[in-house]
Amino acid sequence: MIISRSFYTRSDVLQIAKDLLGKVLVSSIGGITTSGIIVETEAYRAPDDRACHAYQNKRTERTETMFKLGGIAYVYICYGIHHLFNVVTGEDGMAHAVLIRAVEPLEGKSVMKSRRKITQIIPSLTNGPGKFTEAMSITKDHNAVELFNAQSIIHIRDMSISVDHNEILTGPRVGMGNIGESALRPWRFRVKNNKWTSKPDIVKYEANYE
DNA sequence: AAGAGGATGAACT
DNA sequence: GTTCATCCTCTTG
């Protein structure tokens, strides 16, 4: 069943990032339904998180979506090519979001294959934040879509797929640059032994932070 | 008005 | 391991 708005408006974005594992992301683009089990997430939390676009509560046209009441999508273009999908969480005025980094394909696998221009059902179909959005035809046009509304072309369901807390691997987020302490925060969560998650943990040996 | 750079992925060597 | 595709957003002048 559809996940209600109250799931998203909770204040702890780290908890929501973990709770989203096992939930099912659904897109119905052009009458074609695709869906996937969320198997990897990352939390982003303004104002103190330098990795967050809304670091120090910086409001711009782009970040405005993140400040809204939880339960909507935040989709933006990365490197000019990839559309990255986030779930906005928390109260109105709090810029918190969960990046979905990978899903396990459920419905519409053949459509996903053609969109990704590959011929087999293999992890590279959806095991990255820019990959599953392509497979599910999610673009920045879907920014601010209501995910708690079953009529929305993108929404999230609870299909009673349980992920025990000891099945969740935790580690630093992917793609952090020179952002000091924020890069070390273990705010990436993924399902242990699930082959549909993205690249392995990044190990940082450098300990010279500002 | 212009320029830098990015929460990535694919195709290279 | 390296390069680069590609474009929007934000900063600076």
Side-chain angles (χ1 to χ4, degrees), chain A residues 44-128:
Chain A
Y44 289 84
R45 190 185 71 186
D48 64 316
D49 175 14
R50 285 181 66 183
C52 182
H53 291 159
Y55 175 55
Q56 294 179 327
N57 284 337
K58 184 176 67 171
R59 283 183 186 261
T60 66
E61 193 172 347
R62 182 177 65 155
T63 65
E64 200 57 38
T65 306
M66 270 203 282
F67 286 90
K68 295 183 185 296
L69 182 62
I72 64 175
Y74 168 50
V75 190
Y76 72 96
I77 293 181
C78 187
Y79 295 102
I81 306 168
H82 308 291
H83 298 259
L84 269 53
F85 173 85
N86 299 250
V87 175
V88 174
T89 73
E91 290 297 315
D92 186 20
M94 304 298 292
H96 296 178
V98 177
L99 171 71
I100 307 302
R101 286 194 54 86
V103 306
E104 175 176 339
L106 208 57
E107 303 162 80
K109 292 176 192 170
S110 63
V111 180
M112 292 185 181
K113 282 191 297 182
S114 66
R115 287 172 178 163
R116 291 277 297 130
K117 299 179 175 61
I118 55 181
T119 56
Q120 294 170 288
I121 298 174
I122 50 177
S124 63
L125 196 56
T126 57
N127 68 351

Side-chain angles (χ1 to χ4, degrees), chain A residues 16 21 36 42 54 85 88 101 103 127 136 173 183 192:
Chain A
I16 297 171
L21 297 174
E42 282 177 0
F85 173 85
V88 174
R101 286 194 54 86
V103 306
N127 68 351
M136 299 182 72
R173 294 168 294 183
K192 193 175 175 181

